[in-house]
Amino acid sequence: ELQLVESGGGLVQAGGSLRLSCAASAFIFDDYALGWFRQAPGKEREGISCMRSSDGSTYYSDSVKGRFTISSDTAKNTMYLQMNSLKPEDAAVYYCAAALVWSRWPPREYEYDRWGQGTQVTISA
């Protein structure tokens, strides 16, 4: 059913910007959370942002608040993560994921059951 594919990762200098994309294979008709996660080598996966399909609500972790912006283009079945003022600690593999919203907002990580393959973000300083 729903398939997610990330793109837009690459090498960027500290202080620079990148825009990640997450393309969905089909329209989303149910109440879904669409989220961005990241994982650096040797560290646990971290949820950094998500948005709710039913009302457009957004969530940001303290580590990216004020620097990253989540958005979507329904005509393209795509969501985006605009990353500005990048820091060395932002280097990681970035994943997009989807979860049905039925118990809480925002969902916990274990509630996401559709995941993309990941895209690498590398920071040079």
Side-chain angles (χ1 to χ4, degrees):
E1 59 289 306
L2 181 64
Q3 183 177 350
L4 305 174
V5 179
E6 304 95 333
S7 62
L11 175 65
V12 63
Q13 290 185 321
S17 299
L18 279 177
R19 188 193 194 195
L20 305 183
S21 299
C22 176
S25 62
F27 290 108
I28 298 176
F29 298 103
D30 298 314
D31 188 6
Y32 261 84
L34 304 172
W36 285 100
F37 297 79
R38 66 186 182 185
Q39 187 168 27
K43 297 183 179 180
E44 293 186 356
R45 190 162 55 200
E46 174 192 16
I48 57 173
S49 184
C50 62
M51 64 186 307
R52 189 170 182 175
S53 64
S54 62
D55 63 5
S57 298
T58 59
Y59 164 84
Y60 298 94
S61 69
D62 289 340
S63 63
V64 307
K65 191 177 300 180
R67 299 187 298 122
F68 293 9
T69 303
I70 192 170
S71 63
S72 65
D73 184 339
T74 56
K76 296 181 178 180
N77 289 329
T78 302
M79 73 168 178
Y80 305 95
L81 186 68
Q82 179 66 46
M83 306 187 296
N84 298 326
S85 302
L86 285 163
K87 305 175 181 179
E89 55 263 40
D90 293 320
V93 176
Y94 283 71
Y95 300 89
C96 64
L100 278 170
V101 178
W102 63 272
S103 62
R104 63 180 63 81
W105 176 259
R108 293 176 179 171
E109 184 173 340
Y110 74 85
E111 296 180 273
Y112 287 84
D113 58 2
R114 299 289 185 270
W115 292 82
Q117 85 289 350
T119 186
Q120 177 74 53
V121 173
T122 304
I123 310 297
S124 63

PDB file of all heavy atoms in Angstrom, residues 42-78:
ATOM      1  N   GLY A  42      25.870   4.921  15.973  1.00  0.00           N
ATOM      2  CA  GLY A  42      26.021   4.692  17.393  1.00  0.00           C
ATOM      3  C   GLY A  42      24.984   5.355  18.271  1.00  0.00           C
ATOM      4  O   GLY A  42      25.067   5.251  19.499  1.00  0.00           O
ATOM      5  N   LYS A  43      23.990   6.040  17.687  1.00  0.00           N
ATOM      6  CA  LYS A  43      22.966   6.727  18.455  1.00  0.00           C
ATOM      7  C   LYS A  43      21.579   6.184  18.124  1.00  0.00           C
ATOM      8  O   LYS A  43      21.367   5.589  17.071  1.00  0.00           O
ATOM      9  CB  LYS A  43      23.000   8.231  18.181  1.00  0.00           C
ATOM     10  CG  LYS A  43      24.298   8.916  18.597  1.00  0.00           C
ATOM     11  CD  LYS A  43      24.230  10.413  18.362  1.00  0.00           C
ATOM     12  CE  LYS A  43      25.503  11.109  18.795  1.00  0.00           C
ATOM     13  NZ  LYS A  43      25.435  12.574  18.556  1.00  0.00           N
ATOM     14  N   GLU A  44      20.628   6.385  19.037  1.00  0.00           N
ATOM     15  CA  GLU A  44      19.255   5.973  18.809  1.00  0.00           C
ATOM     16  C   GLU A  44      18.582   6.903  17.801  1.00  0.00           C
ATOM     17  O   GLU A  44      18.945   8.068  17.663  1.00  0.00           O
ATOM     18  CB  GLU A  44      18.466   5.972  20.118  1.00  0.00           C
ATOM     19  CG  GLU A  44      18.918   4.934  21.123  1.00  0.00           C
ATOM     20  CD  GLU A  44      18.014   4.871  22.338  1.00  0.00           C
ATOM     21  OE1 GLU A  44      17.081   5.690  22.432  1.00  0.00           O
ATOM     22  OE2 GLU A  44      18.237   3.997  23.190  1.00  0.00           O
ATOM     23  N   ARG A  45      17.576   6.368  17.105  1.00  0.00           N
ATOM     24  CA  ARG A  45      16.812   7.171  16.164  1.00  0.00           C
ATOM     25  C   ARG A  45      16.020   8.242  16.921  1.00  0.00           C
ATOM     26  O   ARG A  45      15.435   7.970  17.972  1.00  0.00           O
ATOM     27  CB  ARG A  45      15.873   6.273  15.359  1.00  0.00           C
ATOM     28  CG  ARG A  45      15.195   6.973  14.194  1.00  0.00           C
ATOM     29  CD  ARG A  45      14.649   5.953  13.208  1.00  0.00           C
ATOM     30  NE  ARG A  45      13.759   5.010  13.851  1.00  0.00           N
ATOM     31  CZ  ARG A  45      13.441   3.826  13.343  1.00  0.00           C
ATOM     32  NH1 ARG A  45      13.970   3.438  12.188  1.00  0.00           N
ATOM     33  NH2 ARG A  45      12.613   3.033  13.989  1.00  0.00           N
ATOM     34  N   GLU A  46      16.002   9.465  16.368  1.00  0.00           N
ATOM     35  CA  GLU A  46      15.395  10.618  17.010  1.00  0.00           C
ATOM     36  C   GLU A  46      14.275  11.184  16.139  1.00  0.00           C
ATOM     37  O   GLU A  46      14.494  11.498  14.968  1.00  0.00           O
ATOM     38  CB  GLU A  46      16.454  11.700  17.256  1.00  0.00           C
ATOM     39  CG  GLU A  46      15.918  13.017  17.786  1.00  0.00           C
ATOM     40  CD  GLU A  46      16.938  14.142  17.741  1.00  0.00           C
ATOM     41  OE1 GLU A  46      17.964  13.997  17.038  1.00  0.00           O
ATOM     42  OE2 GLU A  46      16.715  15.169  18.412  1.00  0.00           O
ATOM     43  N   GLY A  47      13.077  11.333  16.703  1.00  0.00           N
ATOM     44  CA  GLY A  47      11.999  12.006  16.011  1.00  0.00           C
ATOM     45  C   GLY A  47      12.190  13.508  16.084  1.00  0.00           C
ATOM     46  O   GLY A  47      12.370  14.058  17.174  1.00  0.00           O
ATOM     47  N   ILE A  48      12.149  14.206  14.934  1.00  0.00           N
ATOM     48  CA  ILE A  48      12.446  15.632  14.925  1.00  0.00           C
ATOM     49  C   ILE A  48      11.273  16.501  14.473  1.00  0.00           C
ATOM     50  O   ILE A  48      11.207  17.679  14.842  1.00  0.00           O
ATOM     51  CB  ILE A  48      13.686  15.950  14.067  1.00  0.00           C
ATOM     52  CG1 ILE A  48      13.502  15.451  12.626  1.00  0.00           C
ATOM     53  CG2 ILE A  48      14.934  15.327  14.684  1.00  0.00           C
ATOM     54  CD1 ILE A  48      14.615  15.878  11.700  1.00  0.00           C
ATOM     55  N   SER A  49      10.336  15.957  13.693  1.00  0.00           N
ATOM     56  CA  SER A  49       9.217  16.765  13.223  1.00  0.00           C
ATOM     57  C   SER A  49       8.126  15.878  12.658  1.00  0.00           C
ATOM     58  O   SER A  49       8.403  14.784  12.164  1.00  0.00           O
ATOM     59  CB  SER A  49       9.685  17.766  12.148  1.00  0.00           C
ATOM     60  OG  SER A  49       8.624  18.624  11.753  1.00  0.00           O
ATOM     61  N   CYS A  50       6.868  16.341  12.714  1.00  0.00           N
ATOM     62  CA  CYS A  50       5.769  15.635  12.061  1.00  0.00           C
ATOM     63  C   CYS A  50       4.610  16.595  11.824  1.00  0.00           C
ATOM     64  O   CYS A  50       4.528  17.657  12.434  1.00  0.00           O
ATOM     65  CB  CYS A  50       5.304  14.415  12.867  1.00  0.00           C
ATOM     66  SG  CYS A  50       4.646  14.769  14.504  1.00  0.00           S
ATOM     67  N   MET A  51       3.713  16.196  10.913  1.00  0.00           N
ATOM     68  CA  MET A  51       2.502  16.965  10.655  1.00  0.00           C
ATOM     69  C   MET A  51       1.320  16.017  10.547  1.00  0.00           C
ATOM     70  O   MET A  51       1.465  14.852  10.168  1.00  0.00           O
ATOM     71  CB  MET A  51       2.650  17.824   9.399  1.00  0.00           C
ATOM     72  CG  MET A  51       2.822  17.069   8.097  1.00  0.00           C
ATOM     73  SD  MET A  51       3.169  18.179   6.697  1.00  0.00           S
ATOM     74  CE  MET A  51       1.819  19.337   6.827  1.00  0.00           C
ATOM     75  N   ARG A  52       0.107  16.509  10.886  1.00  0.00           N
ATOM     76  CA  ARG A  52      -1.106  15.703  10.892  1.00  0.00           C
ATOM     77  C   ARG A  52      -1.936  16.011   9.658  1.00  0.00           C
ATOM     78  O   ARG A  52      -2.250  17.168   9.382  1.00  0.00           O
ATOM     79  CB  ARG A  52      -1.905  15.987  12.166  1.00  0.00           C
ATOM     80  CG  ARG A  52      -3.079  15.057  12.410  1.00  0.00           C
ATOM     81  CD  ARG A  52      -3.638  15.270  13.805  1.00  0.00           C
ATOM     82  NE  ARG A  52      -4.727  14.365  14.107  1.00  0.00           N
ATOM     83  CZ  ARG A  52      -5.320  14.271  15.275  1.00  0.00           C
ATOM     84  NH1 ARG A  52      -4.920  15.031  16.288  1.00  0.00           N
ATOM     85  NH2 ARG A  52      -6.312  13.410  15.457  1.00  0.00           N
ATOM     86  N   SER A  53      -2.321  14.962   8.924  1.00  0.00           N
ATOM     87  CA  SER A  53      -3.023  15.148   7.660  1.00  0.00           C
ATOM     88  C   SER A  53      -4.409  15.753   7.838  1.00  0.00           C
ATOM     89  O   SER A  53      -4.888  16.478   6.958  1.00  0.00           O
ATOM     90  CB  SER A  53      -3.133  13.828   6.900  1.00  0.00           C
ATOM     91  OG  SER A  53      -3.921  12.893   7.607  1.00  0.00           O
ATOM     92  N   SER A  54      -5.089  15.484   8.955  1.00  0.00           N
ATOM     93  CA  SER A  54      -6.469  15.911   9.145  1.00  0.00           C
ATOM     94  C   SER A  54      -6.616  17.415   9.358  1.00  0.00           C
ATOM     95  O   SER A  54      -7.597  18.007   8.904  1.00  0.00           O
ATOM     96  CB  SER A  54      -7.106  15.168  10.317  1.00  0.00           C
ATOM     97  OG  SER A  54      -6.433  15.446  11.528  1.00  0.00           O
ATOM     98  N   ASP A  55      -5.663  18.058  10.040  1.00  0.00           N
ATOM     99  CA  ASP A  55      -5.796  19.472  10.347  1.00  0.00           C
ATOM    100  C   ASP A  55      -4.532  20.294  10.129  1.00  0.00           C
ATOM    101  O   ASP A  55      -4.532  21.498  10.386  1.00  0.00           O
ATOM    102  CB  ASP A  55      -6.297  19.674  11.784  1.00  0.00           C
ATOM    103  CG  ASP A  55      -5.339  19.144  12.841  1.00  0.00           C
ATOM    104  OD1 ASP A  55      -4.234  18.700  12.487  1.00  0.00           O
ATOM    105  OD2 ASP A  55      -5.708  19.167  14.030  1.00  0.00           O
ATOM    106  N   GLY A  56      -3.440  19.673   9.673  1.00  0.00           N
ATOM    107  CA  GLY A  56      -2.208  20.385   9.405  1.00  0.00           C
ATOM    108  C   GLY A  56      -1.378  20.721  10.624  1.00  0.00           C
ATOM    109  O   GLY A  56      -0.413  21.491  10.511  1.00  0.00           O
ATOM    110  N   SER A  57      -1.715  20.179  11.791  1.00  0.00           N
ATOM    111  CA  SER A  57      -0.930  20.423  12.997  1.00  0.00           C
ATOM    112  C   SER A  57       0.508  19.972  12.797  1.00  0.00           C
ATOM    113  O   SER A  57       0.757  18.973  12.115  1.00  0.00           O
ATOM    114  CB  SER A  57      -1.534  19.696  14.197  1.00  0.00           C
ATOM    115  OG  SER A  57      -2.844  20.158  14.469  1.00  0.00           O
ATOM    116  N   THR A  58       1.457  20.693  13.391  1.00  0.00           N
ATOM    117  CA  THR A  58       2.876  20.356  13.269  1.00  0.00           C
ATOM    118  C   THR A  58       3.523  20.229  14.635  1.00  0.00           C
ATOM    119  O   THR A  58       3.047  20.790  15.626  1.00  0.00           O
ATOM    120  CB  THR A  58       3.641  21.398  12.447  1.00  0.00           C
ATOM    121  OG1 THR A  58       3.526  22.679  13.073  1.00  0.00           O
ATOM    122  CG2 THR A  58       3.088  21.479  11.028  1.00  0.00           C
ATOM    123  N   TYR A  59       4.625  19.479  14.684  1.00  0.00           N
ATOM    124  CA  TYR A  59       5.401  19.283  15.898  1.00  0.00           C
ATOM    125  C   TYR A  59       6.883  19.356  15.539  1.00  0.00           C
ATOM    126  O   TYR A  59       7.298  18.860  14.485  1.00  0.00           O
ATOM    127  CB  TYR A  59       5.092  17.925  16.535  1.00  0.00           C
ATOM    128  CG  TYR A  59       6.116  17.496  17.563  1.00  0.00           C
ATOM    129  CD1 TYR A  59       6.031  17.940  18.880  1.00  0.00           C
ATOM    130  CD2 TYR A  59       7.178  16.670  17.208  1.00  0.00           C
ATOM    131  CE1 TYR A  59       6.983  17.569  19.813  1.00  0.00           C
ATOM    132  CE2 TYR A  59       8.129  16.298  18.138  1.00  0.00           C
ATOM    133  CZ  TYR A  59       8.028  16.746  19.443  1.00  0.00           C
ATOM    134  OH  TYR A  59       8.965  16.381  20.371  1.00  0.00           O
ATOM    135  N   TYR A  60       7.689  19.975  16.415  1.00  0.00           N
ATOM    136  CA  TYR A  60       9.139  20.032  16.245  1.00  0.00           C
ATOM    137  C   TYR A  60       9.815  19.694  17.562  1.00  0.00           C
ATOM    138  O   TYR A  60       9.384  20.142  18.632  1.00  0.00           O
ATOM    139  CB  TYR A  60       9.591  21.423  15.801  1.00  0.00           C
ATOM    140  CG  TYR A  60       9.052  21.862  14.463  1.00  0.00           C
ATOM    141  CD1 TYR A  60       7.891  22.619  14.374  1.00  0.00           C
ATOM    142  CD2 TYR A  60       9.706  21.519  13.288  1.00  0.00           C
ATOM    143  CE1 TYR A  60       7.394  23.021  13.144  1.00  0.00           C
ATOM    144  CE2 TYR A  60       9.218  21.916  12.055  1.00  0.00           C
ATOM    145  CZ  TYR A  60       8.061  22.669  11.989  1.00  0.00           C
ATOM    146  OH  TYR A  60       7.575  23.071  10.766  1.00  0.00           O
ATOM    147  N   SER A  61      10.890  18.919  17.497  1.00  0.00           N
ATOM    148  CA  SER A  61      11.692  18.659  18.677  1.00  0.00           C
ATOM    149  C   SER A  61      12.500  19.903  19.031  1.00  0.00           C
ATOM    150  O   SER A  61      12.745  20.771  18.187  1.00  0.00           O
ATOM    151  CB  SER A  61      12.627  17.472  18.443  1.00  0.00           C
ATOM    152  OG  SER A  61      13.630  17.803  17.503  1.00  0.00           O
ATOM    153  N   ASP A  62      12.926  19.993  20.286  1.00  0.00           N
ATOM    154  CA  ASP A  62      13.708  21.151  20.723  1.00  0.00           C
ATOM    155  C   ASP A  62      15.017  21.284  19.942  1.00  0.00           C
ATOM    156  O   ASP A  62      15.514  22.396  19.740  1.00  0.00           O
ATOM    157  CB  ASP A  62      14.016  21.050  22.218  1.00  0.00           C
ATOM    158  CG  ASP A  62      12.782  21.257  23.087  1.00  0.00           C
ATOM    159  OD1 ASP A  62      11.788  21.830  22.594  1.00  0.00           O
ATOM    160  OD2 ASP A  62      12.819  20.854  24.263  1.00  0.00           O
ATOM    161  N   SER A  63      15.571  20.180  19.471  1.00  0.00           N
ATOM    162  CA  SER A  63      16.854  20.211  18.787  1.00  0.00           C
ATOM    163  C   SER A  63      16.796  20.900  17.425  1.00  0.00           C
ATOM    164  O   SER A  63      17.829  21.360  16.925  1.00  0.00           O
ATOM    165  CB  SER A  63      17.421  18.795  18.628  1.00  0.00           C
ATOM    166  OG  SER A  63      16.571  17.995  17.822  1.00  0.00           O
ATOM    167  N   VAL A  64      15.600  20.985  16.797  1.00  0.00           N
ATOM    168  CA  VAL A  64      15.488  21.586  15.469  1.00  0.00           C
ATOM    169  C   VAL A  64      14.529  22.769  15.420  1.00  0.00           C
ATOM    170  O   VAL A  64      14.462  23.458  14.393  1.00  0.00           O
ATOM    171  CB  VAL A  64      15.062  20.544  14.411  1.00  0.00           C
ATOM    172  CG1 VAL A  64      15.982  19.337  14.448  1.00  0.00           C
ATOM    173  CG2 VAL A  64      13.608  20.123  14.608  1.00  0.00           C
ATOM    174  N   LYS A  65      13.800  23.028  16.488  1.00  0.00           N
ATOM    175  CA  LYS A  65      12.815  24.109  16.512  1.00  0.00           C
ATOM    176  C   LYS A  65      13.475  25.450  16.176  1.00  0.00           C
ATOM    177  O   LYS A  65      14.515  25.800  16.723  1.00  0.00           O
ATOM    178  CB  LYS A  65      12.142  24.167  17.881  1.00  0.00           C
ATOM    179  CG  LYS A  65      10.913  25.068  17.951  1.00  0.00           C
ATOM    180  CD  LYS A  65      10.269  24.991  19.338  1.00  0.00           C
ATOM    181  CE  LYS A  65       9.835  23.576  19.672  1.00  0.00           C
ATOM    182  NZ  LYS A  65       9.198  23.503  21.020  1.00  0.00           N
ATOM    183  N   GLY A  66      12.866  26.190  15.247  1.00  0.00           N
ATOM    184  CA  GLY A  66      13.398  27.472  14.817  1.00  0.00           C
ATOM    185  C   GLY A  66      14.359  27.389  13.657  1.00  0.00           C
ATOM    186  O   GLY A  66      14.687  28.423  13.059  1.00  0.00           O
ATOM    187  N   ARG A  67      14.835  26.184  13.315  1.00  0.00           N
ATOM    188  CA  ARG A  67      15.773  26.001  12.209  1.00  0.00           C
ATOM    189  C   ARG A  67      15.182  25.174  11.066  1.00  0.00           C
ATOM    190  O   ARG A  67      15.498  25.417   9.905  1.00  0.00           O
ATOM    191  CB  ARG A  67      17.059  25.327  12.693  1.00  0.00           C
ATOM    192  CG  ARG A  67      17.818  26.120  13.740  1.00  0.00           C
ATOM    193  CD  ARG A  67      19.178  25.478  14.042  1.00  0.00           C
ATOM    194  NE  ARG A  67      19.046  24.125  14.584  1.00  0.00           N
ATOM    195  CZ  ARG A  67      19.579  23.038  14.031  1.00  0.00           C
ATOM    196  NH1 ARG A  67      20.299  23.138  12.916  1.00  0.00           N
ATOM    197  NH2 ARG A  67      19.418  21.852  14.602  1.00  0.00           N
ATOM    198  N   PHE A  68      14.339  24.184  11.390  1.00  0.00           N
ATOM    199  CA  PHE A  68      13.741  23.288  10.392  1.00  0.00           C
ATOM    200  C   PHE A  68      12.262  23.609  10.232  1.00  0.00           C
ATOM    201  O   PHE A  68      11.593  24.004  11.195  1.00  0.00           O
ATOM    202  CB  PHE A  68      13.879  21.823  10.812  1.00  0.00           C
ATOM    203  CG  PHE A  68      15.285  21.285  10.824  1.00  0.00           C
ATOM    204  CD1 PHE A  68      16.385  22.104  10.648  1.00  0.00           C
ATOM    205  CD2 PHE A  68      15.505  19.925  11.022  1.00  0.00           C
ATOM    206  CE1 PHE A  68      17.682  21.604  10.666  1.00  0.00           C
ATOM    207  CE2 PHE A  68      16.782  19.408  11.045  1.00  0.00           C
ATOM    208  CZ  PHE A  68      17.868  20.238  10.866  1.00  0.00           C
ATOM    209  N   THR A  69      11.725  23.409   9.012  1.00  0.00           N
ATOM    210  CA  THR A  69      10.317  23.633   8.733  1.00  0.00           C
ATOM    211  C   THR A  69       9.754  22.473   7.925  1.00  0.00           C
ATOM    212  O   THR A  69      10.310  22.112   6.886  1.00  0.00           O
ATOM    213  CB  THR A  69      10.092  24.943   7.958  1.00  0.00           C
ATOM    214  OG1 THR A  69      10.630  26.045   8.689  1.00  0.00           O
ATOM    215  CG2 THR A  69       8.598  25.184   7.735  1.00  0.00           C
ATOM    216  N   ILE A  70       8.635  21.878   8.395  1.00  0.00           N
ATOM    217  CA  ILE A  70       7.979  20.794   7.680  1.00  0.00           C
ATOM    218  C   ILE A  70       6.830  21.368   6.856  1.00  0.00           C
ATOM    219  O   ILE A  70       6.142  22.304   7.285  1.00  0.00           O
ATOM    220  CB  ILE A  70       7.486  19.704   8.664  1.00  0.00           C
ATOM    221  CG1 ILE A  70       7.054  18.440   7.924  1.00  0.00           C
ATOM    222  CG2 ILE A  70       6.363  20.228   9.552  1.00  0.00           C
ATOM    223  CD1 ILE A  70       6.795  17.255   8.856  1.00  0.00           C
ATOM    224  N   SER A  71       6.629  20.841   5.649  1.00  0.00           N
ATOM    225  CA  SER A  71       5.561  21.306   4.776  1.00  0.00           C
ATOM    226  C   SER A  71       5.142  20.171   3.846  1.00  0.00           C
ATOM    227  O   SER A  71       5.771  19.109   3.825  1.00  0.00           O
ATOM    228  CB  SER A  71       5.996  22.530   3.964  1.00  0.00           C
ATOM    229  OG  SER A  71       7.076  22.215   3.108  1.00  0.00           O
ATOM    230  N   SER A  72       4.065  20.390   3.061  1.00  0.00           N
ATOM    231  CA  SER A  72       3.594  19.360   2.142  1.00  0.00           C
ATOM    232  C   SER A  72       2.994  19.985   0.898  1.00  0.00           C
ATOM    233  O   SER A  72       2.567  21.143   0.906  1.00  0.00           O
ATOM    234  CB  SER A  72       2.565  18.452   2.820  1.00  0.00           C
ATOM    235  OG  SER A  72       1.387  19.175   3.151  1.00  0.00           O
ATOM    236  N   ASP A  73       2.971  19.209  -0.182  1.00  0.00           N
ATOM    237  CA  ASP A  73       2.345  19.585  -1.444  1.00  0.00           C
ATOM    238  C   ASP A  73       1.415  18.439  -1.802  1.00  0.00           C
ATOM    239  O   ASP A  73       1.859  17.401  -2.296  1.00  0.00           O
ATOM    240  CB  ASP A  73       3.394  19.807  -2.523  1.00  0.00           C
ATOM    241  CG  ASP A  73       2.805  20.296  -3.832  1.00  0.00           C
ATOM    242  OD1 ASP A  73       1.598  20.098  -4.076  1.00  0.00           O
ATOM    243  OD2 ASP A  73       3.555  20.887  -4.635  1.00  0.00           O
ATOM    244  N   THR A  74       0.111  18.614  -1.559  1.00  0.00           N
ATOM    245  CA  THR A  74      -0.841  17.522  -1.764  1.00  0.00           C
ATOM    246  C   THR A  74      -0.953  17.117  -3.225  1.00  0.00           C
ATOM    247  O   THR A  74      -1.190  15.942  -3.528  1.00  0.00           O
ATOM    248  CB  THR A  74      -2.231  17.904  -1.229  1.00  0.00           C
ATOM    249  OG1 THR A  74      -2.680  19.113  -1.844  1.00  0.00           O
ATOM    250  CG2 THR A  74      -2.183  18.119   0.278  1.00  0.00           C
ATOM    251  N   ALA A  75      -0.778  18.054  -4.156  1.00  0.00           N
ATOM    252  CA  ALA A  75      -0.854  17.738  -5.576  1.00  0.00           C
ATOM    253  C   ALA A  75       0.249  16.777  -6.003  1.00  0.00           C
ATOM    254  O   ALA A  75       0.074  16.010  -6.956  1.00  0.00           O
ATOM    255  CB  ALA A  75      -0.790  19.014  -6.412  1.00  0.00           C
ATOM    256  N   LYS A  76       1.393  16.812  -5.321  1.00  0.00           N
ATOM    257  CA  LYS A  76       2.526  15.946  -5.639  1.00  0.00           C
ATOM    258  C   LYS A  76       2.655  14.758  -4.685  1.00  0.00           C
ATOM    259  O   LYS A  76       3.574  13.953  -4.835  1.00  0.00           O
ATOM    260  CB  LYS A  76       3.831  16.745  -5.608  1.00  0.00           C
ATOM    261  CG  LYS A  76       3.921  17.843  -6.649  1.00  0.00           C
ATOM    262  CD  LYS A  76       5.261  18.561  -6.556  1.00  0.00           C
ATOM    263  CE  LYS A  76       5.388  19.636  -7.610  1.00  0.00           C
ATOM    264  NZ  LYS A  76       6.696  20.343  -7.522  1.00  0.00           N
ATOM    265  N   ASN A  77       1.744  14.637  -3.703  1.00  0.00           N
ATOM    266  CA  ASN A  77       1.828  13.591  -2.677  1.00  0.00           C
ATOM    267  C   ASN A  77       3.219  13.573  -2.034  1.00  0.00           C
ATOM    268  O   ASN A  77       3.823  12.517  -1.835  1.00  0.00           O
ATOM    269  CB  ASN A  77       1.513  12.211  -3.259  1.00  0.00           C
ATOM    270  CG  ASN A  77       0.056  12.040  -3.613  1.00  0.00           C
ATOM    271  OD1 ASN A  77      -0.824  12.630  -2.983  1.00  0.00           O
ATOM    272  ND2 ASN A  77      -0.207  11.217  -4.619  1.00  0.00           N
ATOM    273  N   THR A  78       3.714  14.754  -1.696  1.00  0.00           N
ATOM    274  CA  THR A  78       5.078  14.905  -1.203  1.00  0.00           C
ATOM    275  C   THR A  78       5.112  15.825   0.014  1.00  0.00           C
ATOM    276  O   THR A  78       4.406  16.829   0.050  1.00  0.00           O
ATOM    277  CB  THR A  78       5.996  15.477  -2.297  1.00  0.00           C
ATOM    278  OG1 THR A  78       5.981  14.612  -3.434  1.00  0.00           O
ATOM    279  CG2 THR A  78       7.424  15.623  -1.800  1.00  0.00           C
TER     280      THR A  78
END
